[in-house]
Every structure is written in C-alpha cells, then in structure tokens.
Amino acid sequence: MTTVHIVGAGMAGLAAAVALIKAGRKVVLHEAAGHAGGRCRSFHDGRLDRSIDNGNHLMLGANRALFDYLDDIGAPGGLVGQERAALPFVDIRSGERWTLRPNGGRLPWWIMSASRRVPKSRARDYLAALRLAWASPEATVVDCLGDAPGRLYERLWKPLTDAVLNTDPHEAAARLLWPVVYATFGQGEAACRAYVARDGLSPNLVDPALAFIARNGGQVRFGRRLRALERGGGLVRSLVFTDDEVPLSAGDAAIIAVPSWNMGTLLPELALPEGTRAIVNGHYRLDRRVTLPEGSRLLGMIGGTAQWLFARDDVVSVTVSAADRLVQQANEALAETLWADVARALDLGAAPLPPWRIVNEKRATFAQTPAALARRPGPRVGLSNVFLAGDWTDTGLPATIEGAVLSGRRAARSALESH
Ligand SMILES: Cc1cc2nc3c(=O)[nH]c(=O)nc-3n(C[C@H](O)[C@H](O)[C@H](O)COP(=O)(O)OP(=O)(O)OC[C@H]3O[C@@H](n4cnc5c(N)ncnc54)[C@H](O)[C@@H]3O)c2cc1C
C-alpha cells in the first residue's frame, strides 16, 4: 500500500493523519520535537506542580472542523463549553463589570438590548462590523471600525482582534476578522459559546489523536526534523531528514504541516507570510479552586496588561496577545504586573504573588496583516505529490486551531484526489 508521509505533528498534521486514516490510507508522521501538539500542548510544570497548557486556548461552538476531528478520534467530550453564550468582562481601572449575551437564532437582536451589550454602546455601533464583510484586501480592522476612544473599540473590537488575530487592530487584516465575527455573532448563540479543553490541550486534543493513529496502524516518529525536499520531474523524490532519507515511491505523497517560519528552507521559491507575533501567558497556582462569573470559562479584562483570564481548578491563567513588546521584559516583572491585574479582576485585594510561571511564545502565530494575507498559499504548490497544511496556509480563517484542523483535512483531501 502506498504511504502518505506527514511532516509536523501539530493540530494540522494530526488532523491530516486522522482524515487519511479514515479514508483507508497508510500514514507516517514525522515530528522534529519529542512530543506532538506543536503550539497546542500541555506540560508538567515543576514550580506549580500542575500540568499546564503552553497557552490558554479558546475555542468556539462555531468551530465545526474541530468538533468533527474530536468525534473522529473518539474524544467528543474533550471540550467543555458554556450552556448559554455569555462573555463577562471587567474594567481593571474602574472595576466596572458587564456581560455580553448573544441571543439564540440568527438575527442578532441582542445588540438592541442595553443589558446584553457593552455598557454605553449603541446598537448602531455594532452595525459597523458589517464593513468587515466588504473590506478590501488591504484594509486593516481600524480602517473599517475606527479606533475612537470611549465606544466599542476599547471594549470589544480591540480585545476581539487581539484575541482572534494576535495582531494589533491598526495592522490586522479586516478580512480575517469577518469570518469570526460572522460565525460568532451572525450564526446564533450556540456558535458563540466558549469552549476550553476539559483537562488540558494534550490530554484532550492531542493524545487521543495519537492513540487513534496507533490503533489504526499509523506511525508517529519523534525527533525527526525535515531538512530538505529532494526534487525532480515536478515531484519530490525523497524527504531528507537530519539522520536519514525517506524515498517517496510512486503513489506515495507528503503533507508538510510545519509553521511558515520553518518552510523557507524547504520550498525557497514559495512567497511566505512575513513576521510573527508573540503571546504571553501567566499561570498562577492559588490555594483554592477558582470559579468565574456566570459559570464562564473565561473573563475579558480591559484597561490593564492582562487581556483574558481562564481558570482550571486552582490554576488561574492570563493571556496577552500581540505581546511583542512585553516579551522583552523580565519574567519576574511580568509575573508581578499580570498578577496585579488578576488580583483586581478576582477581587483578591493585596494578595501576595503566588507560585507562577510565565510562558512566552515569541512566534505564537504569523502577523495577520493584509500583506501576509496575500502570501498564504493553498495546499497545492506545483509538486504533484506534496501538499501544504498549517494554520498559516490560506484557509480563509485566522491562525487558530480551527484553521489548522481545516488545513490538515484539506491537504488530506488534495492528497487523496491526486493519488
Ligand atoms: C500561546 C498561544 C495561544 C493560542 N491561543 C489560541 C486560542 O485561544 N484559540 C485558537 O484556536 N488558537 C490559538 N492559538 C493558535 C494555535 O495554537 C495554532 O494555530 C495551532 O496550534 C497551529 O497548529 P499547526 O499544526 O498549524 O502548527 P504547529 O502547532 O506549529 O505544528 C507544527 C509542528 O511541526 C513541527 N516541525 C516544525 N518544523 C519541522 C521540521 N522541519 N521537521 C519536522 N517537524 C517540524 C513542530 O515541532 C510542530 O510540532 C494559540 C497559539 C499560542 C502559541
């Protein structure tokens, strides 16, 4: 039987492997690191003595490809979500709190209700979001929505853009925000429900996929870095790894599912999105279990440094996206700054700094600017037996788990159609 070799065992590579196995194909995954999951993983932190995720990952009811993937690997209960969509916020400076409550049904009438929308905003402020639908490829989020202080910009559009595109709204591509705004606010309340991994990213999203692959005869090989693609006659003849070479026989194919910043040496002729943006996460172990307002899985934070707060048992984690300036700071200072925001958000008073861990992901995603958007390739790159996957490829979605899964499934489909 012919084999599909998949390089990179992040969410894109795993999703490709699962789709190919379901179609009856033999797969071998090659991963440079000693573990799977890539930018979506958990690890045991000795200082906190807890398993933590590299970063808080928020998923949405609208993420159909992800839910299908979880069904396929036999782990549908891996995500826990809200029973009703509700997004609580706190303004760290004033202590003001409010909750966004999208309604059921496709017509977003919640924007007409003062108790369901951002305080002091007007229904017509939200209609500005429709400008994203017709945004030119060059437009930024601020070009479409403005950045006037005191209205929705600070309390909704900026936090949403930072979270979804990991890029400041002044440079983030408007076209990439629209699919998420539409999916979350234009497809009814269930699409807006926030989901998080029940126990952690690895146990819920990654390990069940590895078990599925092993159960179905697939192989996963760790510590294997792809160095080059040896080409000839419009196809790739062999995959050159650090220690060995894997020839591709007739009918074999390869899916390359590595981040854009690792692609340059593999396909130097490919125009790639340039630039990356960082995400900082601060994790704190408290002396008790924490629950958030409205039984929510997360809390939006305005006016401080931390942007989103997540809680799992006694660990509270905060996220700062588009955080390139922040990663220059010493971790100790960052831990203090973020803790001050946490203490205010949770009304903890002058609580001393608990055990903490800062995780800086300097290359969390590519910079999702209009220029980068124009440089996202599809799965086909002019080689008949090689296909691309990854959150940075042209999925029409931002660089997210949903985008990564979609890209993996799409690359698998292309490989199946060609072979
Ligand atoms: C801190 C943080 C927070 C995030 N928050 C969210 C969120 O809230 N919601 C959301 O949906 N998304 C979020 N994301 C984005 C999400 O994690 C990514 O979009 C997704 O995991 C990307 O998956 P991928 O498979 O495309 O790439 P990766 O996860 O980067 O996987 C690529 C794999 O390829 C391997 N590799 C690289 N080069 C080679 C080589 N030459 N040979 C072999 N293997 C190689 C890497 O080791 C890696 O395992 C976040 C990301 C970070 C870092």
Side-chain angles (χ1 to χ4, degrees):
M1 196 204 265
T2 57
T3 302
V4 183
H5 294 270
I6 301 167
V7 182
M11 290 303 294
L14 291 170
V18 169
L20 286 161
I21 287 174
K22 273 189 67 197
R25 299 301 294 265
K26 185 176 166 210
V27 303
V28 180
L29 257 123
H30 306 265
E31 165 58 50
H35 54 80
R39 281 169 280 154
C40 173
R41 64 182 188 284
S42 318
F43 61 95
H44 184 81
D45 183 81
R47 196 191 293 170
L48 301 189
D49 193 23
R50 293 286 182 275
S51 175
I52 56 174
D53 294 336
N54 65 315
N56 297 314
H57 278 64
L58 173 68
M59 291 146 280
L60 293 169
N63 293 166
R64 282 314 331 157
L66 172 61
F67 283 100
D68 288 349
Y69 161 88
L70 291 170
D71 284 345
D72 288 346
I73 60 176
L79 299 185
V80 283
Q82 301 169 309
E83 282 170 21
R84 299 289 303 169
L87 193 48
F89 278 91
V90 58
D91 187 324
I92 292 297
R93 294 159 302 195
S94 63
E96 189 183 5
R97 291 175 189 267
W98 65 95
T99 300
L100 293 188
R101 291 178 208 282
N103 56 277
R106 285 183 171 252
L107 199 66
W109 56 259
W110 64 274
I111 63 174
M112 311 299 290
S113 161
S115 63
R116 287 173 169 261
R117 61 183 191 230
V118 175
K120 299 195 190 107
S121 64
R122 302 166 306 187
R124 67 171 183 270
D125 298 334
Y126 296 78
L127 297 178
L130 291 172
R131 287 188 210 128
L132 297 168
W134 294 287
S136 76
E138 296 81 31
T140 66
V141 170
V142 165
D143 290 339
C144 290
L145 302 178
D147 59 357
R151 291 230 190 272
L152 274 192
Y153 178 74
E154 192 197 20
R155 293 183 160 201
L156 186 59
W157 303 136
K158 179 164 168 49
L160 193 68
T161 308
D162 284 344
V164 168
L165 300 182
N166 189 28
T167 305
D168 185 90
H170 290 89
E171 55 165 7
R175 279 214 171 166
L176 263 191
L177 191 59
W178 172 247
V180 177
V181 168
Y182 175 70
T184 46
F185 297 125
Q187 292 188 344
E189 171 275 324
C192 307
R193 288 182 203 167
Y195 286 81
V196 294
R198 191 188 57 216
D199 311 300
L201 295 168
S202 294
N204 298 132
L205 271 62
V206 176
D207 298 346
L210 295 176
F212 174 88
I213 293 166
R215 244 184 354 260
N216 289 282
Q219 292 177 45
V220 185
R221 301 183 187 163
F222 293 109
R224 289 176 62 73
R225 179 166 293 280
L226 183 67
R227 293 279 176 206
L229 299 169
E230 196 189 294
R231 298 192 238 179
L235 42 76
V236 168
R237 305 267 173 205
S238 63
L239 306 175
V240 183
F241 292 94
T242 305
D243 297 325
D244 66 352
E245 221 171 295
V246 175
L248 295 185
S249 309
D252 286 352
I255 292 176
I256 313 296
V258 307
S260 51
W261 46 91
N262 289 357
M263 277 305 301
T265 49
L266 301 176
L267 290 173
E269 73 278 22
L270 203 65
L272 297 166
E274 286 170 353
T276 57
R277 293 293 177 269
I279 298 182
V280 170
N281 270 262
H283 303 270
Y284 302 90
R285 200 190 81 201
L286 308 192
D287 55 8
R288 62 189 163 82
R289 194 187 156 86
V290 176
T291 47
L292 297 179
E294 315 260 352
S296 180
R297 304 283 166 186
L298 76 163
L299 174 65
M301 299 161 81
I302 307 292
T305 304
Q307 295 169 337
W308 298 94
L309 185 150
F310 293 67
R312 183 183 291 135
D313 300 326
D314 59 356
V315 175
V316 168
S317 306
V318 285
T319 297
V320 190
S321 297
D324 290 75
R325 255 183 289 168
L326 224 54
V327 291
Q328 319 291 340
Q329 292 184 24
N331 283 350
E332 288 72 16
L334 257 176
E336 293 276 6
T337 304
L338 297 176
W339 174 247
D341 288 351
V342 173
R344 273 186 223 122
L346 297 180
D347 286 331
L348 299 178
L353 182 67
W356 56 271
R357 170 69 58 197
I358 297 291
V359 181
N360 290 317
E361 289 273 9
K362 289 191 175 139
R363 295 193 292 196
T365 65
F366 73 100
Q368 298 178 67
T369 61
L373 215 61
R375 296 165 74 97
R376 289 177 102 185
R380 294 172 191 272
V381 283
L383 293 160
S384 61
N385 59 350
V386 166
F387 307 91
L388 291 188
D391 64 352
W392 59 278
T393 60
D394 188 10
T395 58
L397 295 177
T400 52
I401 293 180
E402 176 73 358
V405 170
L406 206 64
S407 78
R409 291 157 71 104
R410 201 183 47 177
R413 207 165 45 244
S414 299
L416 289 168
E417 283 164 7
S418 305
H419 291 77

